[in-house]
Amino acid sequence: MRHIDVFNGDADGICALHQLRMAEPVEAELITGVKHDIELIKRVNAGSGDQVTVLDVSLERNRGALLKLLESGARVRYFDHHAAPDIPVHPGLEAMIDEAADICTSILVDRFLGGRFRIWAVVAAFGDNLGSAALGLAQSLKLDKDQQAALQELGENLNYNAYGETESDLLIPPADLYRMVKRYTDPFHLMRKESLLGRLDKERVSDLKQALAIAPQRVSGKSDAYVLPDEPWSRRVSGTFANHLATVVPNRAHAVLTRNARGGYTISVRSPLEGKSTALGFCKLFATGGGRLHAAGINHLEPARLEEFLDRFEESFRAR
Ligand SMILES: [Mn+2]
């Protein structure tokens, strides 16, 4: 029997798998990728008797590949917190899905293991930006303020490593980052021993600093659009930069454009909470647009359409 572990390359995916494998150590084949690379199950090659564990990737986006895998005779255990409106019923599938807003996959695994390695769920919840859930778990472990702050930084750094268009944009491939994390039962020990964490922290700070030094390409009454240079740091920081702008200047709409491997632009859009135009409504005007109401994006825009995009962005967020 082979074990295949399929997990999101962000902090939540890594910490979920780490908890499980401390409880159930096995040699497993690893399948993971950058954070937005979530169609991972189609990369699994397994059959009768094989055990596949899937962590922190949308079941909805993997449903077809999951059904194929189940039909091939593999057994699948699935932990996730993304929307899953139609969970298949199959004797080979054990699904632990909870879509509650204050839950991440590592918290589901923490429940499954009865809290055995809870400190890693704290790290993951901070990484997934679930601050109050993380603090609740940290308090149940009686961690002090300094320990909480250190775990928050660790979660954010592990998470930041997963941002980029491809693994070549990242400081370390997520599978290697997991193999490093896996050597430590104690996250404080990991932070003391591994200089990579300090490098991730520096990179996260310097990427944002570089983005903040870029002047917007288009400034209008109610919105700003930024075009970042064609560099790995741009592709790592784009979402973080857009969130930063939305936090610091919440009454304006923001678009952050980065060059992608197809020669076009990938775009993050954030909209003010009030006003009738939303990031999602705007992004849906484009074929590859989607996301959440006030935090949406466009996967690909042809380069020749840049000026048209800037005009439509300005126009959409002009009226309030
Ligand atoms: Mn997650």
Side-chain angles (χ1 to χ4, degrees):
M1 177 172 88
R2 292 155 65 227
H3 284 276
I4 299 143
D5 290 342
V6 181
F7 61 106
N8 194 296
D10 71 358
D12 193 20
I14 288 173
C15 294
L17 180 58
H18 186 35
Q19 292 176 83
L20 260 187
R21 288 288 162 244
M22 281 190 283
E24 308 165 354
V26 294
E27 270 308 309
E29 186 185 321
L30 304 179
I31 294 181
T32 185
V34 301
K35 191 182 183 89
H36 73 89
D37 186 8
I38 51 173
E39 287 175 20
L40 295 176
I41 297 183
K42 65 182 182 202
R43 284 160 48 187
V44 176
N45 188 358
S48 191
D50 292 336
Q51 174 73 52
V52 181
T53 299
V54 185
L55 299 152
D56 202 38
V57 291
S58 158
L59 192 150
E60 198 177 8
R61 291 283 297 275
N62 282 280
R63 199 171 187 278
L66 173 63
L67 287 173
K68 259 197 210 151
L69 195 57
L70 290 166
E71 276 154 31
S72 76
R75 301 190 59 85
V76 181
R77 193 163 49 155
Y78 207 121
F79 293 88
D80 189 45
H81 66 122
H82 299 96
D86 191 10
I87 301 171
V89 178
H90 189 285
L93 175 67
E94 190 187 351
M96 280 142 290
I97 310 266
D98 188 336
E99 302 171 30
D102 56 349
I103 292 289
C104 61
T105 302
S106 286
I107 293 179
L108 292 175
V109 173
D110 176 65
R111 283 184 191 162
F112 180 75
L113 298 176
R116 270 179 80 187
F117 304 105
R118 175 162 294 169
I119 196 160
W120 293 97
V122 175
V123 174
F126 277 126
D128 254 18
N129 205 16
L130 298 174
S132 58
L135 288 175
L137 291 172
Q139 277 152 16
S140 77
L141 295 171
K142 309 219 173 346
L143 296 168
D144 66 30
K145 286 267 182 283
D146 289 347
Q147 291 171 315
Q148 291 172 15
L151 295 176
Q152 176 164 5
E153 191 177 282
L154 176 61
E156 290 174 358
N157 286 332
L158 292 177
N159 201 57
Y160 190 72
N161 183 67
Y163 286 105
E165 190 187 10
T166 64
E167 290 195 353
S168 64
D169 292 332
L170 313 185
L171 201 53
I172 178 174
D176 292 343
L177 184 59
Y178 165 70
R179 289 187 190 99
M180 189 188 90
V181 167
K182 159 184 188 189
R183 299 203 295 269
Y184 299 88
T185 52
D186 177 356
F188 297 107
H189 196 193
L190 164 73
M191 285 183 271
R192 275 196 304 274
K193 289 279 180 190
E194 298 289 349
S195 60
L196 182 86
L197 274 315
R199 282 164 58 207
L200 269 173
D201 195 55
K202 269 204 197 111
E203 178 185 76
R204 185 160 66 100
V205 171
S206 97
D207 287 356
L208 185 59
K209 213 169 153 187
Q210 290 191 81
L212 288 167
I214 305 283
Q217 179 99 359
R218 176 75 67 90
V219 177
S220 61
K222 300 285 179 199
S223 65
D224 302 299
Y226 293 80
V227 180
L228 300 185
D230 186 4
E231 299 286 349
W233 70 261
S234 301
R235 291 184 283 273
R236 292 193 298 262
V237 84
S238 55
T240 306
F241 180 46
N243 290 341
H244 176 87
L245 294 168
T247 305
V248 177
V249 199
N251 58 341
R252 296 173 68 77
H254 297 96
V256 176
L257 291 78
T258 51
R259 298 306 295 243
N260 61 32
R262 295 162 66 189
Y265 296 94
T266 296
I267 308 174
S268 296
V269 175
R270 301 292 181 268
S271 54
L273 301 183
E274 68 277 7
K276 64 178 163 54
S277 300
T278 65
L280 183 60
F282 172 70
C283 289
K284 285 222 160 150
L285 300 173
F286 297 83
T288 58
R292 290 175 288 131
L293 196 59
H294 294 292
I298 298 165
N299 276 333
H300 181 72
L301 180 82
E302 290 298 329
R305 296 183 65 193
L306 177 61
E307 281 307 312
E308 177 208 334
F309 170 85
L310 294 170
D311 291 343
R312 288 173 79 176
F313 179 64
E314 178 174 350
E315 186 57 40
S316 286
F317 292 97
R318 176 173 287 152
R320 292 290 299 278

Coordinates of all heavy atoms in Angstrom, one line a residue, residues 126-157:
F126 N -3.0 31.5 12.4 CA -2.4 32.8 12.1 C -2.0 32.9 10.6 O -2.3 34.0 10.0 CB -1.1 33.0 13.0 CG -1.4 33.5 14.4 CD1 -0.9 32.8 15.5 CD2 -2.2 34.6 14.6 CE1 -1.1 33.2 16.8 CE2 -2.4 35.1 15.9 CZ -1.9 34.4 17.0
G127 N -1.5 31.9 10.0 CA -1.1 31.9 8.6 C -2.3 32.2 7.7 O -2.2 32.8 6.7
D128 N -3.4 31.6 8.1 CA -4.7 31.7 7.3 C -5.4 33.0 7.6 O -6.6 33.2 7.2 CB -5.6 30.5 7.5 CG -5.6 29.6 6.2 OD1 -4.7 29.7 5.4 OD2 -6.5 28.7 6.1
N129 N -4.8 33.9 8.4 CA -5.4 35.1 8.8 C -6.7 35.0 9.7 O -7.6 35.8 9.6 CB -5.7 36.0 7.5 CG -5.8 37.4 7.8 OD1 -5.2 37.9 8.8 ND2 -6.4 38.2 6.9
L130 N -6.7 33.9 10.5 CA -7.8 33.7 11.4 C -7.3 34.1 12.8 O -7.2 33.2 13.7 CB -8.3 32.3 11.4 CG -8.8 31.8 10.0 CD1 -9.1 30.3 10.0 CD2 -10.1 32.6 9.6
G131 N -7.0 35.4 13.0 CA -6.4 35.8 14.3 C -7.1 35.4 15.5 O -6.5 34.9 16.5
S132 N -8.5 35.6 15.5 CA -9.2 35.3 16.8 C -9.2 33.8 17.1 O -9.1 33.4 18.3 CB -10.5 36.0 16.9 OG -11.3 35.5 15.8
A133 N -9.4 33.0 16.1 CA -9.3 31.5 16.3 C -8.0 31.1 16.8 O -7.9 30.3 17.7 CB -9.6 30.8 15.0
A134 N -6.9 31.7 16.2 CA -5.6 31.4 16.7 C -5.4 31.8 18.1 O -4.8 31.0 18.9 CB -4.5 32.1 15.8
L135 N -5.8 32.9 18.5 CA -5.7 33.4 19.9 C -6.4 32.5 20.9 O -6.0 32.2 22.0 CB -6.1 34.8 20.1 CG -5.1 35.8 19.4 CD1 -5.7 37.3 19.5 CD2 -3.7 35.8 20.0
G136 N -7.6 32.1 20.5 CA -8.4 31.2 21.3 C -7.7 29.9 21.6 O -7.6 29.4 22.7
L137 N -7.1 29.3 20.5 CA -6.4 28.1 20.7 C -5.1 28.3 21.5 O -4.7 27.5 22.3 CB -6.0 27.5 19.3 CG -7.1 26.9 18.4 CD1 -6.6 26.6 17.0 CD2 -7.7 25.7 19.1
A138 N -4.5 29.4 21.3 CA -3.2 29.7 22.0 C -3.5 29.9 23.5 O -2.7 29.4 24.4 CB -2.6 31.0 21.5
Q139 N -4.7 30.5 23.8 CA -5.0 30.6 25.2 C -5.3 29.3 25.9 O -5.0 29.0 27.1 CB -6.2 31.6 25.4 CG -5.7 33.0 25.4 CD -6.7 34.0 24.9 OE1 -7.9 33.7 24.8 NE2 -6.3 35.2 24.5
S140 N -5.9 28.4 25.1 CA -6.2 27.0 25.7 C -4.9 26.3 26.0 O -4.8 25.4 26.8 CB -7.0 26.2 24.7 OG -6.2 25.7 23.6
L141 N -3.8 26.7 25.4 CA -2.4 26.1 25.6 C -1.7 27.0 26.6 O -0.5 26.7 26.9 CB -1.6 26.0 24.3 CG -2.2 25.1 23.3 CD1 -1.4 25.3 22.0 CD2 -2.1 23.7 23.7
K142 N -2.3 28.0 27.1 CA -1.7 28.9 28.1 C -0.3 29.5 27.6 O 0.6 29.7 28.3 CB -1.4 28.2 29.5 CG -2.6 27.5 30.0 CD -2.7 27.6 31.5 CE -4.0 27.1 32.1 NZ -5.2 26.8 31.3
L143 N -0.3 29.9 26.3 CA 0.9 30.5 25.7 C 0.8 32.0 26.1 O -0.2 32.6 26.1 CB 0.8 30.4 24.2 CG 0.9 28.9 23.7 CD1 0.6 28.8 22.2 CD2 2.3 28.4 24.0
D144 N 2.0 32.6 26.4 CA 2.0 34.0 26.8 C 2.1 34.9 25.5 O 2.2 34.4 24.4 CB 3.2 34.3 27.7 CG 4.5 34.1 27.1 OD1 4.7 34.3 25.9 OD2 5.5 33.8 27.9
K145 N 2.0 36.2 25.7 CA 1.9 37.1 24.6 C 3.1 37.0 23.6 O 2.9 37.1 22.4 CB 1.9 38.6 25.1 CG 0.5 38.9 25.7 CD -0.4 39.6 24.7 CE -1.7 40.0 25.3 NZ -2.6 38.8 25.5
D146 N 4.3 36.9 24.2 CA 5.5 36.8 23.3 C 5.5 35.5 22.5 O 5.8 35.5 21.3 CB 6.8 36.8 24.2 CG 7.1 38.1 24.8 OD1 6.4 39.1 24.4 OD2 7.9 38.2 25.7
Q147 N 5.0 34.4 23.1 CA 4.9 33.2 22.3 C 3.9 33.3 21.2 O 4.1 32.8 20.1 CB 4.5 32.0 23.3 CG 5.7 31.7 24.3 CD 5.2 30.7 25.3 OE1 4.1 30.8 25.9 NE2 6.0 29.7 25.6
Q148 N 2.7 33.9 21.6 CA 1.7 34.1 20.6 C 2.2 34.9 19.4 O 2.0 34.6 18.2 CB 0.5 34.8 21.2 CG -0.3 34.0 22.2 CD -1.3 34.8 22.9 OE1 -1.7 35.9 22.5 NE2 -1.8 34.2 24.0
A149 N 3.0 36.0 19.7 CA 3.5 36.9 18.6 C 4.5 36.1 17.8 O 4.5 36.2 16.5 CB 4.2 38.1 19.2
A150 N 5.3 35.3 18.4 CA 6.3 34.5 17.6 C 5.6 33.5 16.7 O 6.0 33.3 15.6 CB 7.3 33.7 18.6
L151 N 4.5 32.8 17.2 CA 3.8 31.9 16.4 C 3.1 32.6 15.3 O 2.9 32.0 14.2 CB 2.8 31.1 17.3 CG 3.5 30.2 18.3 CD1 2.4 29.5 19.2 CD2 4.4 29.1 17.7
Q152 N 2.6 33.8 15.5 CA 1.9 34.6 14.5 C 2.9 34.8 13.3 O 2.7 34.7 12.2 CB 1.4 35.9 15.0 CG 0.8 36.7 13.9 CD -0.1 37.8 14.4 OE1 -0.2 38.0 15.7 NE2 -0.8 38.5 13.5
E153 N 4.1 35.3 13.7 CA 5.2 35.6 12.7 C 5.5 34.3 11.9 O 5.6 34.4 10.7 CB 6.4 36.1 13.4 CG 7.4 36.7 12.5 CD 8.6 37.3 13.2 OE1 8.4 38.5 13.7 OE2 9.6 36.7 13.3
L154 N 5.6 33.2 12.6 CA 6.0 31.9 12.0 C 4.9 31.6 11.0 O 5.1 31.2 9.8 CB 6.1 30.8 13.0 CG 6.4 29.4 12.4 CD1 7.6 29.3 11.6 CD2 6.4 28.4 13.5
G155 N 3.6 31.7 11.4 CA 2.5 31.3 10.5 C 2.5 32.2 9.3 O 2.3 31.8 8.2
E156 N 2.7 33.5 9.5 CA 2.7 34.5 8.4 C 3.8 34.2 7.4 O 3.7 34.3 6.2 CB 2.7 35.9 8.9 CG 1.3 36.2 9.5 CD 1.3 37.6 10.2 OE1 2.3 38.3 10.2 OE2 0.3 38.0 10.8
N157 N 5.0 33.9 8.0 CA 6.1 33.6 7.1 C 6.0 32.3 6.3 O 6.3 32.2 5.1 CB 7.4 33.6 7.9 CG 7.9 35.0 8.3 OD1 7.6 35.9 7.7 ND2 8.6 35.1 9.5

